[in-house]
Amino acid sequence: MSKPHSGLSSEATEKARLELNENPDTLHHDIQQVRDMIVTRPDIGFLRTDDDFILRFLRARKFNQSESFRLLSQYFLFRQQHLHIFHSFKVDDPGIKRALMDGFPGVLETPDQHGRKILLLFASNWDQNRHSFMDILRAILLSLEVLIENPELQVNGFVLIIDWSNFSFKQASKLTPNVLRLAIEGLQDSFPARFGGIHFVNQPWYIQAMYTIIKPFLKDKTRKRIYLHGNNLTSLQQLIGVECLPSEFGGSLPPYDVGLWARTLLGPDYSDESEYTLTYDALHVINRYGISPWSQSVVEPGTLKSADRETSTPLLALD
């Protein structure tokens, strides 16, 4: 039998005990209790059910077994219902690759003071002629799949910073209710990650208006973790130490290299002109980020039932 608790430092082990109700003595029992619930959902194809995989859902829901199973079910149901997102779900897919190369997302090597991995999105880098919002969402989901393999991040979680500087009204008008609900469903309701904070920086009025519109779709816990800083970098720095932030946010780290995470996934020989066929379980990713190989959760085309796609109108309409 696998040892799902291996890989945690003593500090993370204690944090998991205090914050997540994780008990090493009952770990295998807790996992099996969730696994036993799978028979209650014959409509869902559970493509991965090993101990380590189920454990991340227990950690995401503080070892509430019924809530953990609900999240596990939603994870695979979301993939069943949105096959277009997970078709060719790998780093060398052209759309995902372009999004990664443009920094969607960025991932800092230095965690914050709580051990949480910091993800960055510079919204104005969205070139709608180069990649779609769906490609950006796919790149974010794939990046999280890579990162969540690290048991420490299952315990410590993530922080997301979105810089809206120079994000135009025209760009914002392309964010439809449909794609925003899809992103919320994929990240909030269907993925086993702990988000300690979602920080909006330099957001214009129309982004604040958009947030007001989507707020009803957010869980109360999510709403409490969204911070609208505007131009006040001091409030951001009070929540994330300056020693953990790049200079764009008034931090002591060098300016963020937008291609850093893409190069990490694509390999040491990455260049903008090259084409790659590597997948994200390459050894350089494992060595650099302490991540083990992962490929079992990828949904292959045709494995699950497809769902109809909706059309939608812009959230913010241009006159």
Side-chain angles (χ1 to χ4, degrees):
M1 185 177 289
S2 62
K3 296 180 180 180
H5 197 65
S6 63
L8 286 183
S9 65
S10 57
E11 181 181 357
T13 299
E14 181 64 8
K15 184 175 184 178
R17 184 184 70 83
L18 293 174
E19 296 184 11
L20 307 182
N21 306 309
E22 184 167 329
N23 184 348
D25 295 333
T26 62
L27 203 57
H28 287 292
H29 172 76
D30 294 333
I31 291 169
Q32 190 59 46
Q33 288 293 104
V34 174
R35 188 183 288 117
D36 288 344
M37 297 179 194
I38 288 174
V39 297
T40 67
R41 294 299 305 268
D43 56 313
I44 299 176
F46 293 88
L47 302 183
R48 185 177 173 188
T49 59
D50 58 275
D51 284 4
D52 287 343
F53 188 70
I54 292 177
L55 178 55
R56 67 189 63 174
F57 293 87
L58 281 162
R59 285 172 171 160
R61 290 297 181 263
K62 297 187 176 181
F63 278 75
N64 181 311
Q65 294 171 6
S66 60
E67 289 297 320
S68 300
F69 177 68
R70 183 176 290 109
L71 180 60
L72 176 67
S73 300
Q74 186 59 36
Y75 174 91
F76 283 114
L77 187 61
F78 183 76
R79 282 148 180 74
Q80 281 185 205
Q81 295 174 339
H82 303 290
L83 281 180
H84 59 289
I85 294 178
F86 299 98
H87 175 77
S88 187
F89 190 54
K90 52 187 179 179
V91 74
D92 64 339
D93 173 84
I96 291 177
K97 179 182 174 182
R98 284 193 297 270
L100 289 169
M101 288 167 56
D102 289 343
F104 295 108
V107 181
L108 297 184
E109 291 186 281
T110 304
D112 76 355
Q113 64 270 33
H114 303 292
R116 300 176 298 196
K117 184 65 73 175
I118 301 173
L119 278 64
L120 304 177
L121 292 175
F122 292 94
S124 63
N125 287 352
W126 178 22
D127 182 347
Q128 295 164 2
N129 295 319
R130 180 170 164 83
H131 37 60
S132 67
F133 180 86
M134 196 62 64
D135 287 333
I136 292 174
L137 177 60
R138 295 173 73 222
I140 292 171
L141 287 171
L142 185 142
S143 296
L144 286 171
E145 290 282 7
V146 175
L147 292 166
I148 204 64
E149 283 292 313
N150 185 334
E152 299 272 327
L153 294 181
Q154 295 170 19
V155 174
N156 293 327
F158 301 88
V159 171
L160 175 62
I161 303 174
I162 307 177
D163 187 346
W164 296 98
S165 300
N166 302 314
F167 189 73
S168 69
F169 190 94
K170 182 177 180 180
Q171 287 173 304
S173 70
K174 303 299 182 182
L175 296 176
T176 68
N178 185 47
V179 297
L180 290 171
R181 283 198 300 268
L182 190 64
I184 291 168
E185 183 183 357
L187 295 170
Q188 173 187 257
D189 303 323
S190 308
F191 196 83
R194 305 181 67 207
F195 280 94
I198 301 171
H199 302 269
F200 284 18
V201 177
N202 298 316
Q203 73 276 5
W205 67 266
Y206 40 87
I207 294 301
Q208 295 205 191
M210 180 188 70
Y211 172 67
T212 301
I213 294 171
I214 66 171
K215 198 172 180 180
F217 300 110
L218 301 174
K219 293 179 179 178
D220 184 59
K221 183 168 66 173
T222 303
R223 288 196 295 267
K224 290 178 180 178
R225 294 176 180 174
I226 295 179
Y227 302 89
L228 306 179
H229 298 282
N231 297 322
N232 184 5
L233 293 179
T234 301
S235 63
L236 175 69
Q237 296 159 5
Q238 288 172 344
L239 294 169
I240 303 176
V242 293
E243 69 279 2
C244 307
L245 292 169
S247 60
E248 292 93 329
F249 304 109
S252 57
L253 297 179
Y256 179 67
D257 177 356
V258 74
L260 176 64
W261 179 238
R263 289 195 299 274
T264 301
L265 293 182
L266 289 165
D269 298 325
Y270 164 88
S271 69
D272 288 354
E273 292 76 28
S274 300
E275 294 295 329
Y276 289 87
T277 57
L278 295 176
T279 55
Y280 51 81
D281 59 355
L283 286 177
H284 58 275
V285 179
I286 301 166
N287 294 336
R288 187 168 189 175
Y289 283 83
I291 300 164
S292 59
W294 175 89
S295 61
Q296 294 167 284
S297 299
V298 175
V299 177
E300 293 297 331
T303 304
L304 305 172
K305 296 178 182 179
S306 181
D308 294 334
R309 303 185 198 180
E310 294 182 30
T311 57
S312 190
T313 54
L315 191 66
L316 297 171
L318 286 170
D319 293 332

